[in-house]
């Protein structure tokens, strides 16, 4: 709690039924799900100048909608499909089958996606504030949570009956006193990545020269010989919706704490430095990239994990590898454990471990409920999971599923005047299935043809 602020003198900005903190993919879906019935007022706050979080700040591909492998199944549907369908209407998506071991990726135009999130939020009648940062929480009333925000207008207070923490870093849970684990305390935290985009790439020439296989051979050689100061010997560069443009996940910044502002600053600078080392490498060494240049860096460095809340249930590696779908599941995940770790003793820079058998497991409701919570949920990468389980279940299709479940749970909690941890899960599951959520392993294979999207498979 910030001691130098007199909370009693801070003006009240709003009272709302459901407050969602963070407008990333999880937060946007939480707010949209909560407003479906129009029964309750919903407020959504975001610290940046646009919605989408990771989906618009640094990436251009949704993973987790499909299982990996040669026979993919579509396991995430519901409100998330409405976002993809909107992008499809303007030709701003295409499918990349079984990319980089993670399964079929839904590639999209992140600039168009900002606009789509805007449209959906406004159409739903959600009170939406950008450039607004949570700075404190106050317990003033037994059945309401007061949150203090700062923006260019000053400090303001919002009172809410229910709160969904979709901040990514569990900022609300941290300030409100919920328990959590900080990544890196018990095992190395996943590395951070500054993504970058390049234009004027001759993709035909690139493919004729050997494509991704050729690029990876050259990258490994450059890393091992030291001819370029590359941070890793493997990485990805894939085509975008924009013709002649590619996007990368190649920069690697490790051993710095993104919750420490000095170290986060250092990470941002290092990420940009590495990006331009890669630009030189691509232009000189990779056929098809001779005339290309960087045209954009991610809005901030990509952070994979920081605080992970201790929930009513904690997802573990064994849960993922069991391939089980528990009776209290609220969504499915088929993504492999994808741990971006610092290479040591010659081990792979990215550790992959796939879900056996059907390749799918269910995620219990308790993973989005902070331990003992009466009026709060978490959604997104701050959910309750161990390091290994988090490395599987952090794909954006899954975080959107968390958001949808949290939004509907908040509505049910208000309907029944019941605490978050005491909610009847079967009722929530029924509501989720009404939106199209998949809670059982589907029978049919997904159509992952190169172009297009289908709402139902």
């Amino acid at each position: 709690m910030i001691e130098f602020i007199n909370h009693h003198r801070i003006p009240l900005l709003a009272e709302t039924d459901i407050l969602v903190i963070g407008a990333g993919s999880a937060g946007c879906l939480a707010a949209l799900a909560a407003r479906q019935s129009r029964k309750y007022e919903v407020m959504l706050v975001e610290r940046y100048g646009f919605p989408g979080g990771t989906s618009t700040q640094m990436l251009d591909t949704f993973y987790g909608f499909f299982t990996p492998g040669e026979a993919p199944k579509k396991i995430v549907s519901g409100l998330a499909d409405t976002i993809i369908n909107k992008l499809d209407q303007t030709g701003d998506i295409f499918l990349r089958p079984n990319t980089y071991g993670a399964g079929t990726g839904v590639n999209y135009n992140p600039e168009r996606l900002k606009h789509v999130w805007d449209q959906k939020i406004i159409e739903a009648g959600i009170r939406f504030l950008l450039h607004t940062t949570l700075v404190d929480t106050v317990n003033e009333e037994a059945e309401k949570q007061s949150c203090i925000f700062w923006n260019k207008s000053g400090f303001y207070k919002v009172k809410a009956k229910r709160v969904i923490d979709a901040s990514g870093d569990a900022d609300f849970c941290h300030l409100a006193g919920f328990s959590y684990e900080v990544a890196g305390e018990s095992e190395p935290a996943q590395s951070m990545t500054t993504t970058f985009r390049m234009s004027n790439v001759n993709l035909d020439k690139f493919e004729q020269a050997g494509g991704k296989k050729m690029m990876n051979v050259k990258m490994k050689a450059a890393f091992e010989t030291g001819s370029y100061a590359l941070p890793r010997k493997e990485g990805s560069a894939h085509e975008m919706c924009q013709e002649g443009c590619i996007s990368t996940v190649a920069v690697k910044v490790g051993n710095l704490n993104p919750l420490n502002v000095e170290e986060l600053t250092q990470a941002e600078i290092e990420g940009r430095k590495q990006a331009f080392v890669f630009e030189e490498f691509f232009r000189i060494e990779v056929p098809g990239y001779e005339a290309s240049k960087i045209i954009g860096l991610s809005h901030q460095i990509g952070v994979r994990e920081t605080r992970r809340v201790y929930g009513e249930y904690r997802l573990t590696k064994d849960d993922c590898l069991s391939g089980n779908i528990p009776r209290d599941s609220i969504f499915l995940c088929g993504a492999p454990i994808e741990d971006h770790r610092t290479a040591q003793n010659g081990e792979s820079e990215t550790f992959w471990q796939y879900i056996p058998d059907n390749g799918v497991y269910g995620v219990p409701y308790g993973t989005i409920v902070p331990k003992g919570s009466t009026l709060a949920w978490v959604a997104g990468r701050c959910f309750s999971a161990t390091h290994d389980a988090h490395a599987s279940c952090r794909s954006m299709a899954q975080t959107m599923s968390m958001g949808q479940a949290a939004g509907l749970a908040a509505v049910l909690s208000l309907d029944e005047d019941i605490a978050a941890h005491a909610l009847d899960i079967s009722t929530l599951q029924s509501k989720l299935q009404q939106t199209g959520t998949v809670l059982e392993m589907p029978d049919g294979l997904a159509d992952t043809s190169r172009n297009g999207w289908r709402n139902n498979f």
Side-chain angles (χ1 to χ4, degrees):
M1 184 172 292
I2 301 174
E3 299 295 341
F4 61 84
I5 295 178
N6 185 334
H7 301 121
H8 299 291
R9 298 182 61 184
I10 293 177
L12 181 66
L13 175 64
E15 292 195 47
T16 189
D17 295 309
I18 300 169
L19 171 64
V20 183
I21 300 170
S25 297
C28 287
L29 259 291
L32 291 171
R35 272 294 286 174
Q36 269 196 302
S37 69
R38 296 296 200 271
K39 185 182 295 185
Y40 298 110
E41 294 298 319
V42 177
M43 186 172 186
L44 176 63
V45 295
E46 166 59 40
R47 62 176 173 151
Y48 291 108
F50 52 88
T54 297
S55 73
T56 50
Q57 288 177 15
M58 56 206 67
L59 295 183
D60 69 341
T61 306
F62 288 123
Y63 286 113
F65 278 95
F66 303 90
T67 57
E70 298 304 316
K73 295 178 183 291
K74 186 169 184 286
I75 58 169
V76 171
S77 290
L79 290 180
D81 274 342
T82 67
I83 305 303
I84 310 299
N85 290 339
K86 191 73 173 177
L87 291 165
D88 192 26
Q89 289 174 9
T90 54
D92 283 295
I93 68 159
F94 64 86
L95 302 185
R96 293 191 290 120
N98 205 30
T99 51
Y100 304 108
T104 298
V106 183
N107 190 270
Y108 56 84
N109 177 352
E111 303 307 320
R112 169 68 69 170
L113 180 56
K114 293 176 185 177
H115 180 50
V116 169
W117 286 128
D118 281 340
Q119 287 180 304
K120 290 291 186 180
I121 291 164
I122 299 305
E123 288 170 2
I126 295 164
R127 184 166 184 182
F128 187 30
L129 287 182
L130 297 169
H131 298 292
T132 300
T133 302
L134 177 72
V135 296
D136 207 356
T137 64
V138 191
N139 294 319
E140 295 178 309
E141 300 178 42
E143 297 182 357
K144 290 184 180 180
Q145 176 69 60
S146 293
C147 294
I148 296 173
F149 295 93
W150 180 87
N151 55 36
K152 288 295 184 180
S153 299
F155 289 96
Y156 288 94
K157 185 185 301 183
V158 174
K159 291 184 179 181
K161 296 176 183 176
R162 300 293 186 269
V163 178
I164 298 172
D165 185 345
S167 64
D169 295 322
D171 291 332
F172 168 81
C173 290
H174 167 66
L175 293 167
F178 290 106
S179 60
Y180 56 82
E181 178 184 13
V182 176
E185 287 182 339
S186 58
E187 65 270 290
Q190 292 203 60
S191 58
M192 294 177 275
T193 297
T194 299
T195 59
F196 61 90
R197 297 158 188 166
M198 299 181 73
S199 66
N200 204 31
V201 179
N202 187 330
L203 290 169
D204 289 336
K205 183 176 181 180
F206 172 73
E207 291 297 334
Q208 291 167 8
K212 295 170 185 175
K213 184 176 180 179
M214 170 272 299
M215 183 192 72
N216 286 334
V217 169
K218 288 180 174 289
M219 189 179 295
K220 182 179 179 181
F223 176 85
E224 292 178 346
T225 63
S227 56
Y228 294 86
L230 301 183
R232 60 195 296 175
K233 56 186 176 183
E234 59 184 34
S236 68
H238 60 264
E239 62 183 299
M240 301 178 65
C241 288
Q242 294 86 340
E243 187 174 352
C245 294
I246 63 97
S247 181
T248 70
V249 180
V251 166
K252 185 168 190 171
V253 180
N255 303 317
L256 292 171
N257 179 8
L259 296 176
N260 179 298
V261 68
E262 299 283 355
E263 294 187 40
L264 182 58
T265 299
Q266 185 180 346
E268 294 280 14
I269 295 168
E270 175 62 21
R272 288 189 285 271
K273 176 183 175 182
Q274 289 183 20
F276 284 97
V277 172
F278 271 108
E279 181 191 63
E280 181 184 19
F281 164 76
F282 281 127
R283 283 170 53 83
I284 295 174
E285 302 293 340
V286 181
Y289 281 76
E290 295 87 350
S292 64
K293 283 277 192 178
I294 286 178
I295 55 170
L297 301 171
S298 53
H299 192 76
Q300 72 153 69
I301 194 166
V303 178
R304 291 185 171 89
E305 57 175 345
T306 51
R307 301 185 185 104
R308 298 192 303 273
V309 170
Y310 286 111
E312 289 291 317
Y313 187 84
R314 195 174 192 223
L315 191 71
T316 68
K317 180 179 181 180
D318 288 343
D319 290 327
C320 301
L321 298 181
S322 72
N324 291 331
I325 302 176
R327 294 182 63 182
D328 58 348
S329 296
I330 53 173
F331 63 90
L332 302 181
C333 181
I337 295 172
E338 181 186 351
D339 188 351
H340 292 254
R341 57 175 61 162
T342 301
Q344 295 177 346
N345 302 322
E347 69 176 348
S348 173
E349 294 172 299
T350 303
F351 174 79
W352 298 84
Q353 192 165 5
Y354 288 83
I355 315 306
D357 300 325
N358 287 328
V360 168
Y361 61 90
V363 181
Y365 171 68
T367 60
I368 65 168
V369 182
K371 188 71 175 175
S373 171
T374 58
L375 54 74
W377 292 261
V378 292
R381 63 178 172 85
C382 51
F383 80 113
S384 179
T386 63
H387 170 80
D388 291 317
H390 180 274
S392 166
C393 200
R394 61 182 173 81
S395 295
M396 284 191 288
Q398 278 65 49
T399 61
M400 284 193 277
S401 297
M402 292 179 206
Q404 177 174 272
L408 293 177
V411 169
L412 286 173
S413 174
L414 287 170
D415 283 346
E416 300 174 8
D417 191 23
I418 193 168
H421 66 82
L423 203 70
D424 180 65
I425 298 171
S426 63
T427 304
L428 173 60
Q429 290 171 326
S430 176
K431 295 290 185 183
L432 286 167
Q433 287 176 317
Q434 289 173 25
T435 70
T437 298
V438 180
L439 295 179
E440 297 178 356
M441 184 65 179
D443 295 325
L445 300 181
D447 174 10
T448 56
S449 55
R450 175 72 170 74
N451 295 294
W453 175 260
R454 299 292 183 272
N455 190 35
N456 297 301
F457 285 76

